Amino acid sequence: MSAATRRLPGRLTAPEPGWTIRADVVIVGSGIAGLTAALRLRESVDSVLVVTKDVLNAGSTQWAQGGIAAALGPEDTPAQHEHDTLVAGAGACDLDAVRVLVGEGPDAVHELIALGTRFDHDEHGALSLTREGGHHRDRIAHAGGDATGAEIQRALIAAIQAAPDIEVIEHALAVDLLLGHGSDGRDRVAGLTLHVMGEGQRDGVGAVDARAVVLAAGGLGQVFSQTTNPAVSTGDGMALALRAGATLRDLEFVQFHPTVMYLGPDSRGQQPLISEAVRGEGAFLVDGLPEEGGVRFMTGVHELADLAPRDVVAKAIMRRMIETGRPHMWLDARHLGGEFWERRFPTILATARSHGIDPVTELIPVAPACHYASGGVRTDLQGRTDVPGLYATGEVACSGVHGANRLASNSLLEGLVFSRRIATVIPDEIEPWVAPAADRRTEGLVDADVRRELQETMTSRVGVLRSAPGLSEAEVLLEKLAARSADLVDQASWETTNLLTVSTALAAAASLREETRGSHWREDFPVRDDDTWAGHFDVTMDDGALAVGFAPMPATDRAPQEDAR
Ligand code: SIN
């Protein structure tokens, strides 16, 4: 496959480290993936350090509403969960990875419960399980009604705080990885550089010498103008891994959540999510207000109607928006009633009301917005990346479980299951300390002022609906933005450079995939084409030069995977 090449910074311009500390393993990120890895690793390595860009609970885990999926119900099985995951993944999942996810999922959730996570129970004391798009069984465990992520995050933080041997540094942006030479002569992770907004000795840029680094730094939602992701999701983990020689896989498969509350054309940044679980409890989509004769439009589109996999629902909403010329559709959940809303979805109810909509009596305006990166740093079944000593887990990673479209509520589970796996292999794989070698990558930094233009370019040309002219325009515009160097060396410029790096990689892969599959929707290539495109786009970087290659999938992985439509 011909390679698209773009020049980007080979490393971020930053002051020389003013201080150095040491840890056997440093974990970047503090959501379910990062904290699970930390808690497990403390049992087997001497020193574990968690670094996180904001405070411990500022990442995406905290915002997860619907829940965590696992075959926990009496009639459910991992095989059924596997089937639904593969169908949603639209022929791009790694079968072995999916089997690990669904097979180890129930145990992993029980471990979360043992740790102190308080999931919701029914009146008989059984774990309360609900359904979301693409699931044929009730298998989503939830907490606080619609505050599952917040409860999991609370339990994990409590466990971390009770483990004094785990050091935590907050307000710490991972700038770049440090590389040294391993015993086999190959490049190997030797730690990372960090910028800490702190006080005293740990302020400004410093270095952490480490024998292994676990990336659990979350996604890239801030690449787009509207996203359900928090402000910290600027693709930092993916960008620094790419610069260090890791491979990014499946980046074009960005999931757009169908029902994000529409706050008007000028609303930017993190937008309120209306969980799929609301549809799981019986809400449905309509294309107009009752007095305008609005009708349901998901029946007839898919056998699961409003609970079809989310790429199917997002596309159906977009199609109706285009046909009707409206900027959004509506979710009707009035029949659930006030008491049910209060008990089951208290967070969503309060958020909607704070924006002037009462879901008990009114329809909720909704439109798709960026929600989840199904791709990321390519890993094997133990979370290993292509760079020795570098591991990745959670949204930053591409373990192969999501394929072209993540099944609802599989994301928390992925972070949990693969972090446990990473923690089992690291103790045997860490090598003696290696000294960081001189960094010969070309440094650079993009002006923070380009961020809004970058987001608008990605939203209008690399968003839900894609086509060759828009994608080519995006690539040209992104290249122009890359040429705008920053005068200021600061967090805003580091983040913007990371956003531009992952945007360029994402747009290149989206442009090359000339088919429609899962969450990648090409207007000009509207059907899935397994003869040509059953496989993955892999993006690599050599000192700032980006290359994209196509890796066909093994035939054994293709057979059982159906199309969601
Ligand atoms: C939701 O609650 O709809 C989101 C769940 C998920 O992204 O898996």
Side-chain angles (χ1 to χ4, degrees), residues 65-66 132 257 273-277 310 371 406 408-411:
Q65 294 178 347
E132 289 181 321
H257 196 289
L273 176 66
I274 310 295
S275 174
E276 248 174 23
R310 65 176 61 144
H371 183 58
R406 174 175 65 81
S409 287
N410 267 355
S411 51

Side-chain angles (χ1 to χ4, degrees), residues 165-392:
D165 49 341
I166 299 177
E167 189 183 354
V168 175
I169 308 182
E170 296 182 315
H171 305 290
L173 172 81
V175 178
D176 263 312
L177 290 166
L178 296 166
L179 298 172
H181 303 299
S183 54
D184 56 0
R186 287 177 66 196
D187 275 356
R188 172 173 192 91
V189 159
L192 49 75
T193 51
L194 269 186
H195 177 261
V196 182
M197 285 192 275
E199 287 174 353
Q201 293 185 336
R202 301 260 183 87
D203 190 18
V205 172
V208 185
D209 290 344
R211 298 162 73 192
V213 172
V214 179
L215 288 179
L220 49 65
Q222 295 293 329
V223 150
F224 296 93
S225 302
Q226 291 88 24
T227 174
T228 59
N229 292 189
V232 290
S233 300
T234 52
D236 308 320
M238 294 183 202
L240 71 78
L242 181 68
R243 289 193 292 268
T247 302
L248 301 187
R249 169 164 280 191
D250 288 348
L251 272 197
E252 68 275 28
F253 298 128
V254 176
Q255 183 167 74
F256 289 80
H257 196 289
T259 55
V260 178
M261 192 171 174
Y262 178 76
L263 300 180
D266 299 324
S267 185
R268 296 279 181 278
Q270 189 178 12
Q271 312 290 307
L273 176 66
I274 310 295
S275 174
E276 248 174 23
V278 180
R279 276 176 284 132
E281 299 288 359
F284 52 85
L285 289 153
V286 290
D287 63 1
L289 294 168
E291 56 272 27
E292 298 167 337
V295 292
R296 292 182 71 163
F297 56 90
M298 281 309 299
T299 33
V301 171
H302 190 277
E303 46 135 356
L304 293 172
D306 293 88
L307 276 180
R310 65 176 61 144
D311 63 319
V312 178
V313 183
K315 281 175 200 167
I317 291 178
M318 283 303 291
R319 283 199 187 100
R320 282 313 275 149
M321 282 165 54
I322 292 164
E323 282 161 15
T324 58
R326 292 183 151 140
H328 62 83
M329 292 286 112
W330 286 264
L331 189 68
D332 192 345
R334 294 171 299 169
H335 59 288
L336 301 183
E339 186 277 324
F340 186 85
W341 263 104
E342 296 277 0
R343 175 170 50 81
R344 184 66 180 84
F345 301 117
T347 315
I348 300 172
L349 182 65
T351 306
R353 282 178 174 162
S354 75
H355 289 286
I357 297 286
D358 186 347
V360 180
T361 55
E362 293 172 286
L363 272 51
I364 311 169
V366 291
C370 169
H371 183 58
Y372 191 84
S374 295
V377 184
R378 186 177 74 188
T379 65
D380 67 10
L381 296 182
Q382 316 298 339
R384 301 181 191 99
T385 71
D386 294 343
V387 181
L390 180 66
Y391 303 77

